[in-house]
Amino acid sequence: MQGILFPRGVVEGRKDLTEYRSGGGYNGLEKVLKGMTPETLIREINESGLRGRGGAGFPTGKKWAFTQECSEQPHYVVLNGGEDEPGSKKDRLLMENLPHLVIEGVILASYAVGASKAYLYINSQYKTARDSMAQALMEAQEAGYWGEKILGSNFSLEIVFVAAPPNYVAGEDSAALEVIEDKQPLPRQKPPFPATVGLFGKPTTVNNVETLANIPPIIANGAKWYRSFGTPESPGTMIFSLNDEVNRPGIYELPFGSSLRSLIEECGGGVKGGKAIKAILPGGPSSAFLPGDKIDLPLDHNSVRAAGSSIGCGVVRIVTEGTCIVEEILRIADFFAAESCGQCPACRMETNTLAAMLKKVQQGQGGQPLLEQFSKIISFNKGKGFCNLINMPGPPIESALRLFRSDFEFHLANGRCPQN
């Protein structure tokens, strides 16, 4: 299970420039500036099969090409380190422990898309991560890795910091652009997409921290090397976050195609107390529940999708036997209702309505007809918001109703959890 960035577990301690260089750091940048055009660089990323790690899984090279091919100037790159997905720790730890890896990824992305300015959009609550990135940025500039005429080439790049508000919607790509433009963190209506009409109306590539941290190893070692990890459809590795449900919470990098069992048992040390698994959310609160017997499911985009869920940004949530799914799903619905920015009436109404309906179920009100209303509301509002938050409560609610309907029916009949 040897990985690329964090083999199996967390790297302790920040890697400074000397340590990073001793392991081949910035070799990829030097290789590119000595003889690769932006088009060649993008082709290498396309051949690697790298997909975004922010949740959507969009092909990285394809996103870069959209920006690179735009004649409108200037072009920008934004590192999205907002990371407000509940339970996600990967981006913060990458920036804290491997800041030069992230920065080299930003520089390479900027060269690929023809950007002259890059923004490091980092969660305002991540002080240690920001300090680590700032120190690394200074070291990299002094070594000539960014600034004017990088390493004697014709490529110049300015890099600046922007604090990301610590709320969920502020991590959405277009909301990040609004914040950089000194506006409220509200998602934009799409299309147009940021890749062609982004920051200040110019072509902009927005990439997640983990996505950009994959770029330097790919360029230094080649697309074929990268494809030696993972599966043909999901090449490489992914960082997964495990939380307090397991004996060894933390982040673990595994090749795509590794099983949920290997993540939970071998990496996480198994479920606390040896409890049986009732359900799994493989991709954070917006993914669909999987039943506990899916523990041998391979963790790759195609396999998880075929099982009826999504891999998201790698936050794996475990629900143990004896836990009421109604209580779990109510917490998720309350989260999305609270995090809806309120800009889109359909989203504001849907998220609040779903949370209110689940509260009625919890209290034993509404009867069986209430359960039939969830899918109707979710289907009616699907895709009506500026961002994807309006779609996020749907998968967990509908899958919970399908897999654990008896929990809902017990609440309706008794006004309490089955275990109480």
Side-chain angles (χ1 to χ4, degrees), residues 147-353:
E148 292 295 320
K149 297 191 178 298
I150 299 171
L151 300 179
S153 71
N154 290 324
F155 173 51
S156 299
L157 179 67
E158 179 185 2
I159 304 177
V160 297
F161 282 96
V162 175
N167 58 289
Y168 189 69
V169 171
E172 194 270 342
D173 284 3
S174 64
L177 303 184
E178 291 288 290
V179 174
I180 295 170
E181 293 180 7
D182 203 24
K183 301 173 187 174
Q184 293 299 308
L186 300 176
R188 298 176 180 177
Q189 188 172 17
K190 295 175 283 293
F193 293 94
T196 54
V197 182
L199 195 58
F200 309 113
K202 304 298 182 180
T204 305
T205 288
V206 185
N207 282 137
N208 170 260
V209 171
E210 185 188 350
T211 306
L212 291 176
N214 275 276
I215 304 301
I218 292 173
I219 299 306
N221 298 287
K224 184 177 179 181
W225 167 83
Y226 188 74
R227 281 189 172 273
S228 69
F229 301 91
T231 70
E233 296 78 20
S234 297
T237 68
M238 185 163 181
I239 298 175
F240 296 93
S241 299
L242 289 175
N243 293 286
D244 290 339
E245 301 93 11
V246 298
N247 289 304
R248 290 195 296 270
I251 68 168
Y252 297 92
E253 185 189 18
L254 297 176
F256 279 114
S258 302
S259 69
L260 267 166
R261 185 185 297 276
S262 66
L263 174 65
I264 294 167
E265 295 182 358
E266 295 180 33
C267 297
V271 179
K272 281 184 178 177
K275 293 181 179 179
I277 298 174
K278 179 175 182 175
I280 303 167
L281 282 172
S286 61
S287 62
F289 282 100
L290 298 175
D293 61 9
K294 293 288 187 181
I295 192 171
D296 290 306
L297 180 72
L299 285 165
D300 62 78
H301 290 282
N302 289 10
S303 298
V304 177
R305 187 185 306 113
S309 192
S310 59
I311 207 164
C313 61
V315 178
V316 177
R317 169 86 169 93
I318 300 163
V319 180
T320 56
E321 289 289 354
T323 303
C324 178
I325 288 293
V326 173
E327 300 293 334
E328 288 294 309
I329 206 69
L330 178 56
R331 278 191 283 272
I332 291 172
D334 280 342
F335 169 78
F336 286 123
E339 293 296 333
S340 175
C341 70
Q343 179 178 214
C344 305
C347 180
R348 183 175 65 249
M349 292 174 65
E350 179 200 67
T351 53
N352 281 289
T353 298

Side-chain angles (χ1 to χ4, degrees), residues 55-101:
F58 192 81
T60 303
K62 189 174 181 179
K63 178 184 277 192
W64 287 6
F66 288 148
T67 299
Q68 194 270 337
E69 292 167 1
C70 284
S71 58
E72 190 81 15
Q73 293 292 334
H75 294 181
Y76 298 101
V77 162
V78 174
L79 169 84
N80 192 345
E83 194 175 41
D84 278 294
E85 185 84 7
S88 183
K89 307 176 182 72
K90 63 183 180 67
D91 293 340
R92 173 173 60 84
L93 289 174
L94 277 170
M95 291 186 288
E96 288 177 358
N97 293 283
L98 297 172
H100 281 287
L101 181 70

